[in-house]
């Protein structure tokens, strides 16, 4: 069925099949940076939602919170989806920032600018 906006959206559980087997990567938080390691153009066989994330996270990557905002998905399902992409070797994530880095005003400004663009 189509939603109010007239578009179909795949349910998150359908995009995260590997989560049921208990082999999910840990350590991804809203402060983690996610970067694409697979070529988005060669990954045409994967779901559109995955392709969109791969395209967003090319280059230096994005914070998980920024990915969530740009794809219009709540944070928890976004983290689960990113864990699935890590498990498939399509993206990698860096450890969350230290407390000192997370309070770095320049980093926070860059994050805000990124969210405003999205």
């Amino acid at each position: 069925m189509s939603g109010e906006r007239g578009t179909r959206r795949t349910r998150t559980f359908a995009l995260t099949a590997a989560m049921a087997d208990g082999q999910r990567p840990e350590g991804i938080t809203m402060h983690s940076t996610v970067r694409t390691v697979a070529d988005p153009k060669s990954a045409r066989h994967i779901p559109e939602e995955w392709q969109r994330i791969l395209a967003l996270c090319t280059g230096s990557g994005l914070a998980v919170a920024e990915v969530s905002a740009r794809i219009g998905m709540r944070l928890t399902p976004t983290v689960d989806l990113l864990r699935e992409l890590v498990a498939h070797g399509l993206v990698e994530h860096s450890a969350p920032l230290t407390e000192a880095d997370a309070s770095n005003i320049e980093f926070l400004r860059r994050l805000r600018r990124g969210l405003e663009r999205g």
Side-chain angles (χ1 to χ4, degrees):
M1 298 189 118
S2 57
E4 292 179 21
R5 296 181 197 158
T7 59
R8 295 185 74 156
R9 188 165 195 176
T10 307
R11 298 281 184 177
T12 306
F13 63 82
L15 296 171
T16 57
M19 294 301 169
D21 67 10
Q23 303 212 1
R24 49 194 269 181
E26 296 298 328
I28 299 177
T29 70
M30 66 182 279
H31 302 294
S32 299
T33 301
V34 179
R35 188 177 68 82
T36 300
V37 293
D39 180 12
K41 293 178 183 174
S42 67
R44 300 273 183 225
H45 63 283
I46 62 174
E48 287 180 34
E49 290 85 351
W50 290 19
Q51 291 177 25
R52 184 165 179 222
I53 291 172
L54 293 182
L56 285 172
C57 296
T58 57
S60 60
L62 294 174
V64 172
E66 190 172 356
V67 172
S68 177
R70 288 191 182 198
I71 65 173
M73 187 181 285
R74 292 176 188 238
L75 190 58
T76 300
T78 300
V79 169
D80 286 341
L81 184 53
L82 290 170
R83 285 179 176 153
E84 182 71 14
L85 293 175
V86 168
H88 279 71
L90 299 171
V91 299
E92 64 183 11
H93 70 94
S94 62
L97 299 173
T98 64
E99 189 173 322
D101 289 337
S103 62
N104 179 320
I105 192 70
E106 188 53 39
F107 169 76
L108 296 173
R109 285 182 181 143
R110 284 194 324 264
L111 180 60
R112 185 182 67 197
R113 282 193 301 268
L115 290 171
E116 288 171 348
R117 280 193 310 251

